[in-house]
Amino acid sequence: MTKPAATPHRCVVCGSGDAVTIWSVARTPMHAVRPTGMTDAASGFGQLDIVACSVCGHLSNRAFDTDAADELYGALVLTNEPVSPGMIAAVDETAALIMRHLKQDPAVLEVGGGGGALSLALARRSARVDLVEPSRALRPERFAGTGVTLHRAMFPVPALAGRRFDAVVCRQVIEHVPEPAPFLAALRVSLADDGIAYLELPSADDILRRHSIVDFHYPHVHYYRRAEMEWLLARAGFAVAEVFDIKQGHDVGFLLRAAEPQAREVPASSEMSSEGLLAALAERRARAARRLAAIDGPIALYGANAYAQALLGLYQESTPFAAVFDDTASYAGRCVYGPAGEIAIEPPRGERLAGMAAIVIAAYLHDAEIARKISAMGYRGPVYTLRAADPDSPGLIASLFDP
Ligand SMILES: [Zn+2]
């Protein structure tokens, strides 16, 4: 049963109420990771009804339950902790990029910092950091004596009202926020006139280019193309100083300065029609189903993340995934889950890998690094990635989705 939306759908970019479904999943996990053996195991599912606005093309999940947002983001398990050399280097690079634009001893606000890796990296470079993050899994002790002050709450927080910062940093958050305009306005009032803001988010241009169906997952309510985000930023009083392609275009970063709010023309819709997009995405879904069905024996996922979450929502009822490996030490006693139940997360070990008929790398942004690692652990079976290849640069690892 489809739960009726509490309020009529309205595009957060152009305001239109007209939209067309391009991707849907009736019952998908709300969380990527949760504690094993939850008493109410049947809960924790939501619906994806990804629609394209008929006027500007903006993609969003029309079925997102705004009332459940606090529960979703106060989540009991921290995700996206940097666990590999590549991930740690990326955090350091971002910290260096931000610090390059700041005066000595700056005051920094980070909104939605997850486990706090970036805040800690900024504080090591002698910034004073206020970190706002709602996750109840975050331990204040982690920040004792580090120069990071934790506010375990949703942004904006009353304790910081009236404070203005030399830098405002917000990474991988805006796509989770149902109403972006008031959120961006709150970031803007926190920014000093001569300060900088750094906003990072997944790129809908990239999803549209690669037709990456696992990039549609429950926690993301909005999928912004660059032109749409620039429109929202201009309205909120941010001037774009620099734009960065991150992770080969999967994400986009904006370096911003304070400006007067500006009304602009609504961005044009993307080139592909909604019908064309719907058909292309459906083809990918069917192709991966056939590929999984053709594997004779137990299949393991590598990476307990949002893409594994999306995959389980799509295929767990037809594919009994046998194991999930992840390098995050704090995932001991945690599981991923889908419509057919829980799968405990385990650290990768050679003898467990050896028993698998195929391994699907869910942490696809790090697939080359992971493929090398499992090869070094002696695994010789077929390896697939959830990366949908960029048409301009096909990947080296077989994709579950590509022809
Ligand atoms: Zn629109």
Coordinates of all heavy atoms in Angstrom, one line a residue, residues 28-35 38 43-46 68-77 79 136 218-219 304-306 308-310 312 335-338:
T28 N 12.1 -0.6 0.8 CA 13.5 -0.5 0.8 C 14.0 -0.2 2.2 O 13.3 0.5 3.0 CB 14.0 0.6 -0.2 OG1 15.4 0.4 -0.4 CG2 13.8 2.0 0.3
P29 N 15.2 -0.7 2.6 CA 15.7 -0.4 4.0 C 15.9 1.1 4.2 O 16.4 1.8 3.3 CB 17.0 -1.2 4.1 CG 17.1 -2.1 2.9 CD 16.1 -1.6 1.9
M30 N 15.5 1.6 5.4 CA 15.7 3.0 5.7 C 17.1 3.2 6.1 O 17.7 4.3 6.0 CB 14.8 3.5 6.8 CG 13.3 3.6 6.4 SD 12.2 3.9 7.7 CE 12.5 5.7 7.9
H31 N 17.7 2.2 6.8 CA 19.1 2.4 7.3 C 20.1 1.4 6.6 O 19.7 0.3 6.2 CB 19.1 2.0 8.8 CG 18.2 2.8 9.6 ND1 18.5 4.1 10.1 CD2 17.0 2.6 10.1 CE1 17.5 4.6 10.8 NE2 16.5 3.7 10.8
A32 N 21.3 1.9 6.4 CA 22.3 1.0 5.8 C 22.8 -0.1 6.7 O 23.0 -1.2 6.3 CB 23.5 1.9 5.3
V33 N 22.9 0.3 8.0 CA 23.4 -0.6 9.0 C 22.5 -0.4 10.3 O 22.1 0.7 10.6 CB 24.9 -0.2 9.4 CG1 25.4 -1.1 10.5 CG2 25.8 -0.3 8.1
R34 N 22.3 -1.5 11.0 CA 21.6 -1.4 12.2 C 22.1 -2.5 13.2 O 22.7 -3.5 12.8 CB 20.1 -1.4 12.1 CG 19.4 -2.7 11.7 CD 17.9 -2.6 11.6 NE 17.3 -3.9 11.4 CZ 16.0 -4.0 11.0 NH1 15.2 -3.0 10.9 NH2 15.5 -5.2 10.8
P35 N 21.8 -2.4 14.5 CA 22.1 -3.4 15.4 C 21.4 -4.7 15.0 O 20.3 -4.7 14.5 CB 21.6 -2.9 16.8 CG 21.5 -1.4 16.6 CD 21.1 -1.2 15.2
M38 N 17.1 -6.7 16.1 CA 16.2 -5.7 16.6 C 14.8 -6.4 16.8 O 14.4 -7.3 16.0 CB 16.0 -4.6 15.5 CG 17.2 -3.9 15.2 SD 17.4 -2.2 15.9 CE 15.9 -1.4 15.2
S43 N 10.1 -3.4 11.0 CA 10.1 -2.0 10.8 C 11.4 -1.6 10.1 O 12.3 -2.4 9.8 CB 10.0 -1.3 12.2 OG 11.2 -1.4 12.9
G44 N 11.6 -0.3 9.8 CA 12.8 0.1 9.2 C 12.8 0.1 7.7 O 13.8 0.0 7.1
F45 N 11.6 0.1 7.1 CA 11.5 0.1 5.7 C 10.7 1.4 5.2 O 9.9 1.9 5.9 CB 10.8 -1.1 5.1 CG 11.6 -2.4 5.3 CD1 11.5 -3.1 6.5 CD2 12.5 -2.8 4.3 CE1 12.2 -4.3 6.6 CE2 13.2 -3.9 4.5 CZ 13.1 -4.7 5.6
G46 N 11.1 1.8 4.0 CA 10.4 3.0 3.4 C 10.2 2.7 2.0 O 10.6 1.7 1.4
A68 N 9.6 11.0 9.8 CA 10.5 10.0 10.3 C 11.9 10.5 10.2 O 12.9 9.8 10.6 CB 10.4 8.7 9.5
A69 N 12.1 11.7 9.8 CA 13.5 12.2 9.6 C 14.3 12.2 10.8 O 15.5 11.8 10.8 CB 13.5 13.6 8.9
D70 N 13.8 12.6 12.0 CA 14.5 12.7 13.2 C 15.0 11.3 13.6 O 16.2 11.1 14.0 CB 13.7 13.3 14.3 CG 13.6 14.8 14.2 OD1 14.1 15.4 13.2 OD2 13.0 15.4 15.1
E71 N 14.1 10.3 13.5 CA 14.5 8.9 13.8 C 15.6 8.5 12.8 O 16.6 7.8 13.3 CB 13.2 8.1 13.6 CG 13.4 6.6 14.2 CD 13.8 5.6 13.2 OE1 13.4 5.7 12.0 OE2 14.7 4.8 13.5
L72 N 15.5 8.8 11.6 CA 16.5 8.4 10.6 C 17.9 9.0 10.9 O 18.8 8.3 10.8 CB 16.0 8.9 9.2 CG 16.7 8.4 8.0 CD1 16.6 6.9 7.9 CD2 16.0 9.0 6.7
Y73 N 17.9 10.2 11.3 CA 19.2 10.9 11.4 C 19.8 10.8 12.8 O 21.0 11.0 13.0 CB 19.2 12.3 10.9 CG 18.7 12.3 9.4 CD1 17.7 13.0 9.0 CD2 19.4 11.4 8.6 CE1 17.3 12.9 7.7 CE2 18.9 11.3 7.3 CZ 17.9 12.1 6.8 OH 17.5 11.9 5.6
G74 N 18.9 10.5 13.8 CA 19.5 10.2 15.1 C 20.0 8.8 15.2 O 20.2 8.3 16.3
A75 N 20.2 8.2 14.0 CA 20.5 6.7 13.9 C 21.5 6.2 14.9 O 22.4 6.9 15.4 CB 21.0 6.4 12.5
L76 N 21.3 5.0 15.2 CA 22.1 4.4 16.3 C 23.5 3.9 15.8 O 24.3 3.6 16.7 CB 21.4 3.1 16.8 CG 20.0 3.5 17.4 CD1 19.2 2.2 17.6 CD2 20.2 4.2 18.8
V77 N 23.7 3.9 14.6 CA 25.0 3.5 14.0 C 25.6 4.5 13.2 O 25.0 5.1 12.3 CB 24.8 2.2 13.2 CG1 26.1 1.7 12.6 CG2 24.2 1.1 14.0
T79 N 27.8 5.8 10.2 CA 28.3 5.3 8.9 C 29.3 6.2 8.3 O 29.5 7.3 8.7 CB 27.1 5.0 8.0 OG1 26.3 6.2 7.9 CG2 26.2 3.9 8.5
R136 N 23.0 9.8 17.7 CA 23.1 9.4 19.1 C 24.3 8.4 19.2 O 24.7 8.1 20.4 CB 21.8 8.7 19.6 CG 20.7 9.7 19.7 CD 19.5 9.1 20.4 NE 18.9 7.9 19.7 CZ 18.0 8.0 18.8 NH1 17.6 9.1 18.3 NH2 17.5 6.9 18.2
Y218 N 17.0 5.3 0.4 CA 16.0 6.0 1.2 C 16.5 7.3 1.8 O 15.7 8.3 1.8 CB 15.4 5.0 2.2 CG 14.2 5.7 2.8 CD1 13.0 5.7 2.2 CD2 14.3 6.4 4.0 CE1 11.9 6.3 2.7 CE2 13.2 7.0 4.6 CZ 12.0 7.0 3.9 OH 10.9 7.7 4.4
P219 N 17.7 7.3 2.5 CA 18.0 8.6 3.2 C 18.1 9.8 2.3 O 18.0 10.9 2.8 CB 19.3 8.2 3.9 CG 19.3 6.7 4.0 CD 18.6 6.3 2.7
A304 N 29.2 -2.4 3.7 CA 27.9 -2.2 4.3 C 27.5 -0.8 4.3 O 27.7 0.0 5.2 CB 27.9 -2.8 5.8
N305 N 27.0 -0.3 3.1 CA 26.8 1.1 2.9 C 25.5 1.3 2.2 O 24.7 0.4 2.0 CB 28.0 1.7 2.1 CG 28.1 1.1 0.7 OD1 27.3 0.3 0.3 ND2 29.0 1.6 0.0
A306 N 25.3 2.6 1.8 CA 24.0 3.0 1.1 C 23.8 2.2 -0.1 O 22.6 1.9 -0.5 CB 24.1 4.4 0.8
A308 N 24.8 -1.0 -0.8 CA 24.3 -2.3 -0.4 C 22.9 -2.3 0.1 O 22.1 -3.1 -0.3 CB 25.2 -2.8 0.8
Q309 N 22.6 -1.2 0.8 CA 21.2 -1.0 1.2 C 20.2 -0.9 0.0 O 19.2 -1.6 0.0 CB 21.2 0.4 2.0 CG 19.9 0.9 2.5 CD 20.1 2.3 3.1 OE1 21.2 2.9 3.1 NE2 19.0 2.9 3.6
A310 N 20.6 -0.1 -1.0 CA 19.7 0.0 -2.2 C 19.6 -1.4 -2.9 O 18.5 -1.8 -3.3 CB 20.3 1.0 -3.1
L312 N 19.9 -4.4 -1.6 CA 19.1 -5.4 -0.8 C 17.6 -5.1 -1.0 O 16.8 -6.0 -1.1 CB 19.5 -5.3 0.7 CG 20.9 -5.9 1.0 CD1 21.3 -5.5 2.4 CD2 20.8 -7.4 0.9
C335 N 24.3 -5.3 11.5 CA 23.9 -6.0 10.3 C 23.4 -5.1 9.2 O 23.1 -3.9 9.5 CB 22.8 -7.0 10.7 SG 21.2 -6.3 11.1
V336 N 23.3 -5.6 8.0 CA 22.5 -5.0 7.0 C 21.2 -5.8 6.9 O 21.2 -6.8 7.5 CB 23.3 -5.0 5.6 CG1 24.6 -4.2 5.7 CG2 23.5 -6.4 5.1
Y337 N 20.2 -5.2 6.3 CA 19.0 -6.0 6.2 C 18.2 -5.5 5.0 O 18.5 -4.5 4.3 CB 18.2 -5.7 7.5 CG 17.6 -4.3 7.6 CD1 16.3 -3.9 7.3 CD2 18.5 -3.2 8.0 CE1 15.9 -2.6 7.4 CE2 18.0 -1.9 8.1 CZ 16.7 -1.6 7.8 OH 16.3 -0.3 7.8
G338 N 17.2 -6.4 4.7 CA 16.4 -6.1 3.5 C 15.0 -6.9 3.7 O 14.8 -7.4 4.8

